[in-house]
Amino acid sequence: MHYLITGGAGFIGSHLADELIGRGHTVTVIDDLSTGSIRNIAHLRGHDRFQYRIADMLDAPLLAELVDEADATFHLAAAVGVQLIVESPVRTIETNVRCTELVLELAAKKKKKVLITSTSEVYGKSMDIPFREDGDLVMGATTRGRWSYACSKAIDEFLAIAYWREQRLPTVVVRLFNTVGPRQTGRYGMVIPRFVAQALANEPLTVYGDGRQTRCFTHVDDAVRALAELMTCEEAVGDVYNIGNNSEISIFDLAGRIRQLTQSSSEIVYVPYSVAYEENFEDMPRRVPSIDKIEEAIGWKPECDLDQIIRSVVDHQRAEAPVLI
Ligand code: UDP
């Protein structure tokens, strides 16, 4: 197959490119490098089944050509990272909604299948743990910037499902839960690369809030395996799937574990949400996926545990050397 990956120079997109090429497919990447990096795909340059275009995602003639040339599209291009979302809400909403609209509109012309990546953020403040795909989405007020991300991705989901129901464009929606691994940057807020960088530098580990909020972390290798397999799963069309690991840890315990695994002397400090993000910032107290549905559809289960996830980020950060492009 020939796949197009939007946002393919991003952290998850670049691992997906590796996975698909490893499975014998051909991959084209489009990325505007807003949060992605050429460095993430540098090792693929020159591969005879890989090509990339650095371009604006909203360049409709170009995107139309790339969608047409491919057999199917993985749409990953999005504004992500809570830090970025809080700082640039206009960019978040516009990027997330407009890009998805355009990809779906163009794909619908030739009935080319699209897999849309959404996020566990859409569950918002729901306390109905574990989060099942058919559960309610509980968002906060529109005056609180964070929720713009969840709402913009929820619109993407509605749109993808609507294209399937109304125009028979085959679409699949996935909700990714805190995906982590090599190449992820802490620049946009992601906690594990941030804590690892802090621990390796023996700087304080910055726990936001009281540290009792929990998350479940998924290794990117597990996540991209799920993406590749859901794309070809007939029963997944027109439907929504969680992709996540269901092993839960508090952010305070996470900081302790990272300090231990890196043998760091960093202290753990608490930073109020109002300082870390903005006044009135709301966090999710718990976020745990139900993964029954994806297991039933494609037999997928995560294989990497938290220690392996942390170690992969530590190894990457220790080995990282500038790549000249
Ligand atoms: N967090 C933290 N310190 C940091 C960055 C994040 O304590 O330096 C917290 C953040 O407030 C959240 C959790 O770690 O409760 C996960 O944050 P991340 O941005 O990785 O993903 P989110 O689950 O918020 O999308």
Side-chain angles (χ1 to χ4, degrees), residues 210-226:
D210 64 11
R212 288 194 297 184
Q213 71 274 30
T214 71
R215 292 295 186 271
C216 297
F217 296 95
T218 317
H219 194 281
V220 67
D221 289 349
D222 283 329
V224 297
R225 192 163 45 85

Side-chain angles (χ1 to χ4, degrees), residues 1-5 15-28 44 47-51 71 74 224 228-229 232:
M1 294 284 276
H2 179 178
Y3 289 118
L4 173 65
I5 307 176
H15 283 277
L16 178 61
D18 291 340
E19 175 75 24
L20 296 173
I21 284 174
R23 288 173 182 243
H25 302 298
T26 296
V27 171
T28 299
L44 289 172
H47 192 292
D48 58 357
R49 282 185 282 109
F50 178 78
Q51 49 181 318
D71 297 307
F74 288 91
V224 297
E229 284 166 24
T232 56

Side-chain angles (χ1 to χ4, degrees), residues 166-177:
E166 209 179 298
Q167 301 191 16
R168 278 339 215 192
L169 169 69
T171 58
V172 180
V173 173
V174 302
R175 294 177 179 158
L176 297 168
F177 281 70

Side-chain angles (χ1 to χ4, degrees), residues 81-83 85 119-121 146 149 177-180 184 186 188-195 198 205-209 211-217 251-252 254-255 269 271 273 276-277 281 283-285 287:
V82 179
Q83 201 91 44
I85 285 144
T119 165
S120 56
E121 276 272 325
R146 175 185 198 142
Y149 179 49
F177 281 70
N178 293 79
T179 310
V180 185
Q184 186 176 35
Y188 310 108
M190 281 69 169
V191 67
I192 291 187
R194 283 176 59 84
F195 281 179
Q198 290 165 344
L205 269 57
T206 52
V207 169
Y208 298 163
R212 288 194 297 184
Q213 71 274 30
T214 71
R215 292 295 186 271
C216 297
F217 296 95
I251 297 304
F252 179 78
L254 175 70
V269 297
V271 180
Y273 286 122
Y277 299 114
F281 180 84
D283 203 1
M284 286 78 170
R287 185 190 277 165

